[in-house]
Amino acid sequence: MVDIRGVEELKGIRIDDDHVRIGALTTHAELLASEPLHEVLPLFRRAANLIADPQVRNRGTIGGSLANADPAADWPAVVIALGADIEIAHPGDTGRVAGRDFFVDIFTTALEPNEMLVGVHIPRPTPGTRFAYRKIRHPASGYAVVGVAAAVRLRGDVIEHASIGVTGAAGHAFAGDAAAEFLIGKPLSAEVAAKAARLLSEATECLSDRYASAEYRASLLATETRRALLSLAQ
Ligand SMILES: Cc1cc2nc3c(=O)[nH]c(=O)nc-3n(C[C@H](O)[C@H](O)[C@H](O)COP(=O)(O)OP(=O)(O)OC[C@H]3O[C@@H](n4cnc5c(N)ncnc54)[C@H](O)[C@@H]3O)c2cc1C
């Protein structure tokens, strides 16, 4: 067992011209409190604010959450929607894996046994990009029964960029590509949001457990996706 809490290189939020780098040991509370991060990537505050309670937010780290790959954790959906890369240290070397490829199964990531997660690398979003995070919180833990992160950019009335990250619904977090592709070139109307949400829900093999049946999760996924997208229309 190795305690990594003293490793300075794994701490902190760095905001550069074209990207943001978050060290693996950055806590949820630090992500919630950071004003500079909020100005560039408001999705972090929105999601951090919905994680558990202040005690958990003070202890839990983004690196621990991503490496743990709980299918109901919040950060996986956020890093996928933001097109982030996960920075990985191998012995004597470092590398990156796209966030969308990092989560491979329940509590299973692309990390090999001799690797560790050192940070998250997020491209700075194009100005005008709008973000939403919605989740149905489990009433005891706060974990996402279903959580949806969305990033949308409009040109005039038409969507020119969309990305969606989903957590809670399936065995691991994933990108809602079919729904995001459907949105491109369309107005962000109630009808379009509902159709995209339906596409996403129908394409997802939802988990069934004692908290929610697969059918109920599919219904929550459609509802939360539609609401997340519509919240970006204003
Ligand atoms: C009561 C409760 C409620 C919670 N509610 C939520 C919630 O609503 N939403 C949510 O998203 N999360 C929730 N969590 C999870 C919590 O936020 C933490 O992220 C999670 O418990 C991991 O804790 P940690 O960051 O201290 O990592 P640890 O517990 O230290 O590590 C978790 C696992 O990842 C490995 N690991 C840690 N860091 C690294 C690294 N850098 N590289 C490689 N492997 C690593 C560890 O070896 C371990 O296997 C909750 C937890 C609790 C206890």
Side-chain angles (χ1 to χ4, degrees):
M1 174 99 70
V2 179
D3 184 353
I4 59 175
R5 279 178 299 181
V7 183
E8 287 304 318
E9 290 87 338
L10 299 181
K11 295 181 183 169
I13 301 165
R14 202 183 64 223
I15 299 175
D16 289 335
D17 289 345
D18 61 347
H19 73 275
V20 174
R21 196 228 180 231
I22 299 174
L25 283 175
T26 310
T27 63
H28 312 322
E30 287 166 338
L31 293 166
L32 175 62
S34 170
E35 277 305 328
L37 180 65
H38 181 60
E39 276 171 29
V40 182
L41 289 164
L43 196 48
F44 277 93
R45 178 168 295 174
R46 226 161 280 167
N49 207 19
L50 295 174
I51 294 178
D53 48 45
Q55 289 83 351
V56 169
R57 294 200 288 263
N58 283 333
R59 293 289 296 189
T61 62
I62 189 166
S65 170
L66 295 172
N68 201 36
D70 189 307
D74 295 285
W75 293 129
V78 171
V79 301
I80 289 171
L82 292 176
D85 283 346
I86 308 297
E87 296 179 13
I88 293 173
H90 327 272
D93 192 11
T94 58
R96 284 192 199 174
V97 176
R100 58 168 48 232
D101 300 326
F102 186 71
F103 308 99
V104 297
D105 207 342
I106 294 184
F107 294 105
T108 308
T109 68
L111 282 174
E112 297 293 337
N114 63 349
E115 294 177 334
M116 71 179 286
L117 192 160
V118 291
V120 183
H121 181 104
I122 308 132
R124 261 182 104 127
T126 305
T129 309
R130 304 171 186 183
F131 303 99
Y133 185 66
R134 287 193 60 95
K135 78 171 179 181
I136 301 292
R137 283 169 63 100
H138 185 276
S141 65
Y143 272 111
V145 180
V146 165
V148 179
V152 164
R153 194 173 61 249
L154 295 155
R155 181 182 288 262
D157 290 337
V158 169
I159 299 167
E160 68 168 357
H161 166 82
S163 60
I164 298 174
V166 177
T167 190
H172 59 87
F174 63 94
D177 288 338
E181 279 160 24
F182 168 79
L183 290 167
I184 306 298
K186 301 198 173 60
L188 191 38
S189 65
E191 197 187 352
V192 166
K195 175 83 193 288
R198 240 186 352 262
L199 274 176
L200 178 54
S201 168
E202 285 168 7
T204 304
E205 201 175 310
C206 286
L207 271 184
S208 189
D209 59 23
R210 61 193 163 140
Y211 303 133
S213 67
E215 193 184 16
Y216 181 48
R217 274 202 169 82
S219 162
L220 293 180
L221 178 56
T223 306
E224 290 306 288
T225 304
R226 180 173 55 78
R227 288 178 177 163
L229 292 172
L230 278 182
S231 74
L232 301 176
Q234 292 98 35

